[in-house]
Amino acid sequence: MPLGLRKKKNKSRESSNLVENEEVSGHAVVGKSAVNGGGLPPPPASMRPKLVFHTQLAHGSPTGRIEGFSNVKELYSKIAEAFNLSPDEILFCTLNTHKIDMEKLLGGQIGLEDFIFAHIKGLKKEVEVYKAEEALGLTITDNGAGYAFIKRIKEGSVMDGVKVICVGDHLECINGKNIVGMRHYEVARMLKELPKDQSFTIKLVEPMKAFEMLEPRSRGGGGKSSGDGKIGTGRETLRLRSKGPATVEEMPTEFEEKAVKKVDDLLESYMGIRDTELAATMVEVGREKKNPDEFAMALDEALGDFAFPDEFVFDVWGAIGDAKQGRF
């Protein structure tokens, strides 16, 4: 079947419980649940990995201990319970740093020795922005639990000129429309469709900061993290899944890391989002496919809600092939 004529699936499917989620400092996040489907019910507590993780609130708190979670929403609930918070207060988590470091966002995979820092809601702000260019210069991700936030601000862009808007800010409302619960790609599309040469109003919530964290904002595209982006010192990680139990698995292969990074870059280029769980699901789908048409049909089956452009699908297929051949 020609790529441009393939049928889109109407049935809604959740691609992941995370988005952009994102890159977990070099860990590939292979969303096999999205590929295999199945809709398995949550496993009983007795079947979940008995692993204990240490956690703190990023702006400062005692250390808590959490265990018995299988996905990000359950993780947030465990953290909230440890610190007597509502889970809705948690914006996102970083691994092994209390700083708002977009290279160390918690995605769908946690190293067994990783320390989890939870960033909670802080100052609310409302900003009027004049859209002088078609592109605002934002890259959007989300926390897998209904909160979209800013992953990156492009230098010299419209948003780069609005100094009160920062990396890590949660986007709560655009022109009076509440966007809590929307996925990152929906928010990115809404921002892209705002008319040029007009002003719009955006409400944001920034992460709570400790005194020592009050520093110039980051554009989110900083230098490489230490250790080639690897998190933790062990060889195993806990894989969080949107469906089915969490599992302890080996570290991703070099092929997986390279392919996921390239596909994540393509997601940012085409759609204005970063989401390594989504990227890794696409890599998993395309790993054994023989041609781009077969790959496109499999993507529709696994991720039908996204309706990816044909050009994007071809580029992803090419990136997976390059990774297999070790060409980057």
Side-chain angles (χ1 to χ4, degrees), residues 235-283:
R235 293 294 303 167
E236 294 182 315
T237 59
L238 180 67
R239 175 83 51 82
L240 304 181
R241 301 182 183 279
S242 58
K243 299 175 183 178
T247 55
V248 176
E249 300 184 1
E250 292 295 317
M251 292 282 287
T253 65
E254 182 179 3
F255 157 74
E256 290 171 336
E257 289 187 342
K258 289 182 176 180
V260 169
K261 175 63 168 62
K262 181 61 177 178
V263 174
D264 200 30
D265 289 344
L266 289 170
L267 282 170
E268 181 174 24
S269 176
Y270 277 88
M271 302 177 67
I273 64 173
R274 291 194 76 87
D275 185 339
T276 49
E277 185 170 1
L278 175 59
T281 298
M282 299 179 79
V283 171

Side-chain angles (χ1 to χ4, degrees), residues 58-60 98-99 206-216:
H59 65 279
H98 67 286
K99 296 182 179 180
E206 68 178 38
M208 187 175 291
K209 299 180 178 71
F211 180 77
E212 65 271 18
M213 294 173 64
L214 299 178
E215 55 189 19

Side-chain angles (χ1 to χ4, degrees), residues 126-175:
E126 183 172 341
V127 185
E128 184 173 288
V129 180
Y130 181 73
K131 190 176 181 183
E133 304 290 341
E134 289 291 347
L136 290 170
L138 293 181
T139 298
I140 309 299
T141 187
D142 65 43
N143 70 350
Y147 290 163
F149 58 95
I150 298 171
K151 170 73 185 280
R152 184 174 297 169
I153 300 175
K154 184 178 180 180
E155 186 174 2
S157 66
V158 172
M159 284 301 190
D160 190 35
V162 185
K163 300 305 180 184
V164 296
I165 295 178
C166 304
V167 167
D169 285 356
H170 159 49
L171 289 79
E172 188 176 56
C173 191
I174 299 174
N175 279 342

Side-chain angles (χ1 to χ4, degrees), residues 6-14 300-307:
R6 69 190 192 278
K7 295 182 180 179
K8 301 295 180 186
K9 299 292 182 181
N10 293 324
K11 187 176 180 181
S12 176
R13 290 184 175 88
E14 266 193 334
D300 283 346
E301 181 68 25
L303 301 168
D305 288 347
F306 286 85

Side-chain angles (χ1 to χ4, degrees), residues 14 21 23 27-28 43 45 84 88 100-101 134 144 146 163-164 172 174 221 224 258 285 290 294 303 309:
E14 266 193 334
N21 339 268
E23 187 168 352
H27 286 239
N84 196 26
D88 292 340
I100 302 171
D101 185 344
E134 289 291 347
K163 300 305 180 184
V164 296
E172 188 176 56
I174 299 174
K224 294 182 180 178
K258 289 182 176 180
V285 168
K290 298 178 181 178
E294 187 178 329
L303 301 168

